[in-house]
Amino acid sequence: MFVSNGIVYGGEPKGLLKIDAIKILRDRMMLVTFSTGETRLFDTGILNDGVFSGLEDDDIFNSASLDHGVLVWDNGAIDCAPEFIYENSYVYPVMEVI
């Protein structure tokens, strides 16, 4: 357990996780490259209620960009924490081209 900014967290502290790159795929899928060097597959379909309901609009969904390592849509009106994306994404092995 540890405390950060007055908030108590379970487990051990992790380094600051950021998103370095995104690539929008079909069917609301994204390839997300993290500051750890890992690329993972994220199904944005799990973001389906509340503020995320706006992602159903193709124009808003395709407006995805990065703001200081955080995935945002609609000029920052919608965002999603890198930690959430990492924990809810799948390993995606990137093949090295020789």
Side-chain angles (χ1 to χ4, degrees):
M1 181 173 10
F2 67 99
V3 178
S4 178
N5 295 326
I7 300 172
V8 177
Y9 295 90
E12 296 300 317
K14 297 178 183 174
L16 182 60
L17 187 62
K18 292 184 177 184
I19 298 173
D20 289 339
I22 58 169
K23 180 175 182 180
I24 298 173
L25 306 173
R26 63 183 174 168
D27 299 325
R28 301 280 194 240
M29 303 291 279
M30 298 180 112
L31 284 180
V32 181
T33 303
F34 293 90
S35 55
T36 61
E38 296 174 83
T39 298
R40 298 176 63 92
L41 184 65
F42 180 56
D43 180 356
T44 64
I46 66 171
L47 306 174
N48 57 13
D49 60 356
V51 69
F52 297 113
S53 62
L55 298 179
E56 294 175 12
D57 180 309
D58 286 339
D59 290 333
I60 292 175
F61 182 79
N62 291 322
S63 74
S65 64
L66 296 175
D67 184 9
H68 301 286
V70 175
L71 178 59
V72 300
W73 291 271
D74 200 18
N75 292 318
I78 303 170
D79 64 36
C80 189
E83 296 81 7
F84 178 86
I85 294 171
Y86 186 89
E87 291 171 6
N88 291 282
S89 60
Y90 305 93
V91 174
Y92 186 84
V94 176
M95 304 303 243
E96 186 174 321
V97 178
I98 299 175

